[in-house]
Amino acid sequence: MSNQPIPLREALASFDALWSPRIVTRVNDYDVRIAKVEGEHIWHAHDDTDEFFLVLDGELHISLREPDGERTVVLSQGTVFTVPRGTEHKPFAPSGASILMFEPTGTPTVGDRHDEIPDHVDATTGHPLHR
């Protein structure tokens, strides 16, 4: 990791892949990841860790399956939200967004439990396959 400041705009400009987080730095045993997102991800849950989201640009929606039912939170630019561990959730960005996430190093994008993974997504990492 770099011991210099990291300009997030430049880091985001360095790739175009959607739903394919890039690690920009680490804090203790956590990755600080940035991603460009648009459209829908899949329903998934992280059994052993919370998932922190910060919207850098655009708007991110996160549907949640909670004990009291399903709800959707809408995050605008500058908004943060933490999905509690074990909560099934489905992020989506109708018009696209850039986000920053904190997750323990090695956390798969598709969580520990998830819906069927589309053919164009790597089942291990949750990253899109480049064909």
Side-chain angles (χ1 to χ4, degrees):
M1 292 288 106
S2 173
N3 65 353
Q4 297 296 316
I6 301 165
L8 291 179
R9 285 182 200 250
E10 289 177 25
L12 284 161
S14 72
F15 66 95
D16 291 320
L18 298 174
W19 300 107
S20 185
R22 303 296 199 269
I23 298 169
V24 290
T25 192
R26 289 197 168 89
V27 178
N28 298 315
D29 297 331
Y30 279 73
D31 292 336
V32 178
R33 302 175 182 183
I34 56 172
K36 292 179 180 179
V37 297
E38 187 171 356
E40 296 186 359
H41 196 33
I42 61 173
W43 281 103
H44 66 283
H46 302 278
D47 292 332
D48 300 317
T49 185
D50 300 333
E51 188 171 17
F52 171 90
F53 293 88
L54 164 63
V55 177
L56 301 170
D57 187 45
E59 186 175 88
L60 179 69
H61 301 215
I62 304 174
S63 293
L64 304 157
R65 290 180 176 154
E66 299 173 315
D68 293 338
E70 196 172 301
R71 71 178 174 121
T72 299
V73 295
V74 178
L75 310 176
S76 58
Q77 182 176 346
T79 305
V80 300
F81 184 76
T82 301
V83 176
R85 70 187 72 207
T87 301
E88 287 185 277
H89 59 287
K90 179 181 179 178
F92 60 100
S95 301
S98 297
I99 61 174
L100 182 142
M101 300 164 288
F102 285 104
E103 297 176 313
T105 298
T107 299
T109 304
V110 293
D112 303 304
R113 295 178 284 116
H114 50 76
D115 280 354
E116 184 176 336
I117 298 174
D119 291 339
H120 65 277
V121 175
D122 181 301
T124 304
T125 64
H127 298 173
L129 295 173
H130 304 285
R131 297 182 180 178

